[in-house]
């Protein structure tokens, strides 16, 4: 019996890279996996891999950036497996440019796939789970979102992507706070692995080692964390942002109120120079933006 036995998991962007690794790992732990990808042949190929290992899966190519598409995905999953217990929002895209070179389309397309793509399925499923909980049913559901180191720290030439990924962190915190009463947790992961996106951006960095040493960029390294978060064992963990790469797992320490200077009255602008310098001196120094 696997850790996710009989739990149905929808994974977006699961036709390759990290999504494929999650799908294979979850199926190996007994989950029914809905492999969603706009590239239908890629989704079907992953399903074939799961079938060949004795697992349970179906392929889906509906659009995650519309409510209609999200509803079709959920309806197909429920029709085949009876219920959905977990959503892994993994699909993403890149339109990398320096900020001043970004077009309106570059901005909108990245926001559409990352932010609206994270909204539509989560909103559709959260309503379903809420109604089930209000009707007296038992809900033990998971939202697993995907941020990035770029969203946590910023990244040169990725202001659109970094902004979307930072927004996903905020979305995760709000989901966790609002949905806990219905038996739903929400966490996010910021993975670093070899994918089509990273191979395009930094191929030499992420290539597989030729000497047989540990492949720290293998997407399969991130999959165990996703399996655990999808399982019933993680029901007490919500509102967390995990970073994962190679053999490393950490929990990101997000924005919080830092040192405070309280005057007890309105500040004069001429007073603020030394005050700001003192606050900076007392603050934890931010990590550097990627690429600087």
């Amino acid at each position: 019996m696997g850790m996710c036995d009989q739990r149905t998991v929808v994974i977006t962007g699961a036709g390759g890279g990290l999504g494929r690794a999650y799908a294979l790992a979850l199926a190996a732990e007994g989950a029914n996996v809905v492999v969603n990808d706009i590239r239908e042949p890629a989704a079907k190929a992953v399903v074939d891999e799961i079938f060949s290992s004795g697992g349970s899966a179906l392929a889906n190519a509906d659009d995650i950036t519309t409510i209609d598409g999200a509803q079709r995905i959920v309806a197909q999953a429920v029709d085949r497996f009876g219920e959905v217990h977990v959503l892994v929002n993994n699909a993403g895209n890149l339109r990398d440019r320096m900020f001043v070179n970004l077009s309106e389309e570059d901005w909108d397309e990245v926001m559409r796939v990352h932010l609206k793509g994270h909204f539509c399925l989560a909103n559709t499923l959260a309503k379903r789970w809420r109604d089930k909980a209000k009707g007296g049913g038992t809900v033990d559901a998971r939202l697993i979102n995907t941020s990035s180191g770029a969203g946590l720290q910023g990244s040169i030439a990725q202001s659109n992507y970094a902004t979307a990924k930072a927004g996903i962190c905020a979305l995760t915190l709000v989901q966790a706070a609002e949905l806990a009463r219905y038996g739903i947790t929400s966490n996010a992961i910021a993975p670093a692995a070899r994918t089509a996106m990273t191979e395009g951006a930094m191929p030499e960095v992420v290539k597989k080692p030729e000497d047989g040493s540990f492949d720290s960029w293998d997407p399969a390294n991130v999959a165990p964390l996703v399996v655990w978060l999808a399982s019933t064992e993680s029901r007490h963990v919500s509102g967390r942002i995990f970073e994962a790469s190679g053999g490393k797992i950490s929990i990101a320490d997000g924005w919080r109120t830092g040192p405070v200077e309280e005057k007890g009255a309105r500040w004069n602008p001429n007073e603020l120079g030394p005050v700001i310098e003192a606050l900076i001196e007392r603050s934890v120094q931010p990590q550097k933006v990627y690429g600087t």
Side-chain angles (χ1 to χ4, degrees), residues 153-183:
Q153 297 162 223
S155 180
I156 294 295
Q158 291 190 311
S159 58
N160 49 358
Y161 177 76
T163 300
K165 289 303 193 184
I168 288 166
C169 290
L171 173 65
T172 301
L173 298 180
V174 176
Q175 287 173 334
E178 291 184 357
L179 301 176
R181 72 190 75 177
Y182 307 122

Side-chain angles (χ1 to χ4, degrees), residues 134-153:
K134 284 187 171 183
T138 300
V139 176
D140 192 12
R142 306 284 180 269
L143 298 174
I144 303 172
N145 298 325
T146 303
S147 184
S148 167
L152 300 175
Q153 297 162 223

Side-chain angles (χ1 to χ4, degrees), residues 1-11 23 25-34 56-57 77 81-88 129 132 138-144 183-185 226-236:
M1 185 172 178
M3 180 177 280
C4 294
D5 192 53
Q6 298 307 306
R7 284 174 74 76
T8 298
V9 184
V10 174
I11 310 172
L26 283 158
E29 290 293 336
N32 304 311
V33 182
V34 179
S56 174
F81 301 122
E83 185 54 276
V84 176
H85 306 91
V86 182
L87 169 63
V88 182
W129 294 330
K132 183 176 180 179
T138 300
V139 176
D140 192 12
R142 306 284 180 269
L143 298 174
I144 303 172
I184 305 166
T185 70
V226 174
V227 169
W228 187 83
L229 287 172
S231 76
T232 58
E233 290 188 18
S234 67
R235 64 170 60 94
H236 62 294

Side-chain angles (χ1 to χ4, degrees), residues 79-100:
D79 183 62
R80 174 74 70 86
F81 301 122
E83 185 54 276
V84 176
H85 306 91
V86 182
L87 169 63
V88 182
N89 273 317
N90 169 71
N93 64 347
L94 291 175
R95 290 287 186 92
D96 290 356
R97 306 274 193 283
M98 298 300 281
F99 178 71
V100 295

Side-chain angles (χ1 to χ4, degrees), residues 88-124:
V88 182
N89 273 317
N90 169 71
N93 64 347
L94 291 175
R95 290 287 186 92
D96 290 356
R97 306 274 193 283
M98 298 300 281
F99 178 71
V100 295
N101 294 327
L102 279 175
S103 69
E104 184 176 7
E105 182 187 5
D106 292 331
W107 185 270
D108 288 348
E109 182 62 13
V110 169
M111 297 302 157
R112 182 183 72 86
V113 173
H114 289 277
L115 288 178
K116 195 175 181 189
H118 267 62
F119 166 76
C120 291
L121 265 167
N123 180 261
T124 299

